[in-house]
Amino acid sequence: MTSADVARESGVSRTTVSYVLNAKSGVVITEATRQRVLDAAARMGYTPSAAARALRSGRSDLVLCVLPDWTFGPVIDRLIDHVTTALAEHGLSVLVHSGRGTQSLQELWRAVTPCVVLGLAPFADADREALRRAGIPVVGAALDEDPHPDVFAVPQISIGRLQVEHLADRGHRVLAYAAPADPRLSAFADRRLAGVRLECERRGLPEPRVAAVDLAVEDAARAVRQWRTGEPVTAVAAYNDEVALAVLAGARAMGLRVPDDVAVIGVDDIPAARLAAPALTTVWQAIDAQADHLVASVRAALDATLPLPARTDDVFHVVAREST
């Protein structure tokens, strides 16, 4: 179905159809004619071609969001939902592509011709340069401090350090780290564990005892049992809230009291953290602020009159509850 079909059906020129369907400003078209074109398009199931629209305007309205090979959970879902909703208000659509598979980034952006590429992890220098040569702006986020002004950095090492700081300030000296069992989360987990180790070393605490914890009571109980042998662990820094909730269940299965026998702190402040028994202490992350920064960066990349967004100082902080 083409605009020529709509023109024949509504009895007007293709130019008039184009003006109506693209909401062309500065053109006088009667309301009766406009409605006749819209009714014909709806009746025939006509959808404007995104590729043709991109050729006319010189740019597409598609933002390509590239995710590494991560698992999806409440945090990523919330971030993507916020970004997608906010950009839609400015006439931009978001295509989310997971890093799973064999298609290269260059093959991907050449296939979909986006107006901006949004990355939730840094791209290789060669990819950034290829996009720059193609005139496609790149904005994104990073797990470490990043020198690019359009990158929102949430340093994961600092999250691990903050967990230890909270636990150590409450008198705990023998700590454990509950890592995720899924290797796809290593980009986050390795950095957070590095932060835990650095802060333990800085405070003169023993090396944290590390175990991967699957989201099952039996597996968590095994880890807790291991941590309680020898000099018992009295506090656990968990990779995220889901792993922390598993540790709570494992401690309960072992007959331990939280926080009297063992304290637990997670990361992300998911809704279930508040409903746990006891309520889970966690590290809150500024997901909405990150999403707002990414949206503003995309808009600034497309409109030079808009300023780059300022970075918020409150990227994360501890939400103290009963589990510590």
Side-chain angles (χ1 to χ4, degrees):
M1 193 65 60
T2 69
S3 61
D5 298 314
V6 177
R8 281 192 296 271
E9 177 72 13
S10 56
V12 300
S13 69
R14 290 185 64 179
T15 300
T16 299
V17 169
S18 175
Y19 286 161
V20 170
L21 296 182
N22 290 291
K24 177 77 172 178
S25 60
V27 178
V28 178
I29 297 176
T30 67
E31 179 59 26
T33 298
R34 190 184 73 84
Q35 195 58 53
R36 189 160 72 249
V37 171
L38 293 175
D39 289 344
R43 189 165 56 249
M44 303 175 76
Y46 171 75
T47 302
S49 165
R53 187 168 62 249
L55 286 172
R56 286 193 302 270
S57 65
R59 110 174 177 207
S60 77
D61 59 2
L62 184 68
V63 175
L64 174 61
C65 178
V66 181
L67 298 180
D69 186 12
W70 296 341
T71 62
F72 284 79
V75 174
I76 295 296
D77 286 347
R78 179 176 172 182
L79 178 69
I80 296 299
D81 183 66
H82 190 128
V83 168
T84 300
T85 301
L87 288 178
E89 294 174 357
H90 299 284
L92 297 170
S93 301
V94 177
L95 172 64
V96 179
H97 177 78
S98 171
R100 302 165 199 174
T102 59
Q103 189 176 32
S104 70
L105 178 59
Q106 288 198 37
E107 290 173 331
L108 184 60
W109 65 255
R110 284 172 177 160
V112 301
T113 59
C115 59
V116 176
V117 172
L118 170 61
L120 295 192
F123 295 121
D125 290 342
D127 285 329
R128 289 185 72 101
E129 177 59 20
L131 287 163
R132 186 195 65 78
R133 289 197 304 269
I136 301 175
V138 178
V139 300
L143 305 182
D144 303 295
E145 293 293 351
D146 193 286
H148 296 97
D150 55 4
V151 172
F152 189 98
V154 184
Q156 301 298 301
I157 285 178
S158 298
I159 290 177
R161 299 192 80 140
L162 189 60
Q163 287 180 301
V164 173
E165 179 182 300
H166 178 82
L167 297 172
D169 286 351
R170 280 150 184 76
H172 298 284
R173 61 176 304 276
V174 182
L175 308 182
Y177 183 77
D182 194 323
R184 291 175 295 174
L185 297 171
S186 61
F188 293 91
D190 291 350
R191 288 171 169 82
R192 293 178 188 177
L193 175 55
V196 168
R197 284 176 165 146
L198 285 170
E199 189 63 19
C200 284
E201 181 180 4
R202 189 184 76 82
R203 290 174 175 262
L205 303 179
E207 173 79 6
R209 293 159 66 176
V210 182
V213 176
D214 207 348
L215 302 183
V217 175
E218 300 79 8
D219 195 69
R222 173 197 54 75
V224 173
R225 187 181 305 112
Q226 173 185 325
W227 291 330
R228 297 292 288 182
T229 59
E231 186 175 11
V233 163
T234 64
V236 179
Y239 161 72
N240 68 2
D241 288 347
E242 291 176 323
V243 174
L245 292 173
V247 172
L248 288 181
R252 192 160 47 245
M254 291 289 297
L256 299 175
R257 298 166 300 162
V258 177
D260 298 335
D261 298 319
V262 61
V264 182
I265 182 172
V267 180
D268 289 337
D269 194 24
I270 64 175
R274 301 159 222 165
L275 305 176
L280 180 65
T281 294
T282 184
V283 177
W284 170 90
Q285 295 190 73
I287 300 303
D288 290 344
Q290 181 176 354
D292 287 339
H293 188 283
L294 294 175
V295 169
S297 295
V298 167
R299 295 190 62 214
L302 296 173
D303 185 348
T305 66
L306 295 175
L308 285 172
R311 302 190 192 194
T312 178
D313 292 330
D314 187 15
V315 179
F316 43 73
H317 60 254
V318 171
V319 179
R321 298 193 180 102
E322 290 80 0
S323 70
T324 56

